[in-house]
C-alpha cells in the first residue's frame, strides 16, 4: 500500500544525490593552458596551412542522418593515403591469387 510512495521518494532522493557536485578547488578553476587557436576554413587548396580544420557533413552508414566531421587537412591527407594503400594491397593480393 505504501510501497509506491516510498519507491517514488527513494527515487527522487537518489536523483537529487546524483546532481550534486563536489566544490571546486583553486586548481580546477584555473585552466592549465590556453586552448589552441584553430582556423576553420570552408575550402582549401595546396597553399592552405596543413593544421587548418575543415568541417564537412557526412552521412552515417545505414542512416539518413548527417554528422558534422571536423579534421585537419593533414589528418584528411593521412586517411586518404591509408585508404589508397589498403586498396592497392587488396588489388595486389587478388592479382597474385591470394585473397578472395
Amino acid at each position: 500500500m505504501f510501497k509506491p510512495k516510498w519507491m517514488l521518494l527513494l527515487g527522487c532522493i537518489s536523483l537529487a544525490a546524483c546532481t550534486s557536485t563536489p566544490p571546486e578547488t583553486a586548481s580546477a578553476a584555473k585552466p592549465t593552458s590556453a586552448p589552441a587557436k584553430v582556423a576553420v576554413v570552408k575550402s582549401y587548396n595546396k597553399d592552405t596551412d596543413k593544421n587548418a580544420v575543415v568541417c564537412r557533413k557526412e552521412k552515417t552508414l545505414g542512416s539518413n542522418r548527417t554528422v558534422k566531421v571536423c579534421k585537419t587537412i593533414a589528418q584528411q591527407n593521412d586517411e586518404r593515403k591509408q585508404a589508397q594503400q589498403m586498396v592497392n594491397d587488396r588489388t595486389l593480393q587478388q592479382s597474385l591469387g591470394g585473397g578472395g
Side-chain angles (χ1 to χ4, degrees):
M1 193 155 131
F2 293 105
K3 227 178 205 180
K5 291 180 183 177
W6 283 106
M7 295 297 280
L8 181 62
L9 180 63
L10 183 62
C12 289
I13 292 172
S14 297
L15 288 175
C18 291
T19 59
S20 65
T21 58
E24 288 189 27
T25 61
S27 62
K30 296 180 184 177
T32 55
S33 63
K37 290 185 179 180
V38 177
V40 178
V41 294
K42 292 187 178 186
S43 63
Y44 61 94
N45 56 24
K46 294 186 295 186
D47 300 328
T48 308
D49 181 26
K50 300 299 180 195
N51 293 324
V53 176
V54 177
C55 297
R56 63 181 180 193
K57 291 185 177 181
E58 295 181 354
K59 279 194 174 182
T60 306
L61 186 63
S63 174
N64 288 331
R65 293 181 61 189
T66 57
V67 179
K68 187 176 181 180
V69 178
C70 297
K71 297 178 184 175
T72 64
I73 296 173
Q75 287 174 329
Q76 288 181 353
N77 290 340
D78 289 343
E79 288 179 3
R80 188 176 299 115
K81 287 177 186 177
Q82 288 176 358
Q84 187 62 45
Q85 186 64 39
M86 287 173 54
V87 169
N88 291 342
D89 291 346
R90 183 67 178 167
T91 305
L92 182 61
Q93 269 185 344
Q94 287 178 346
S95 67
L96 296 175

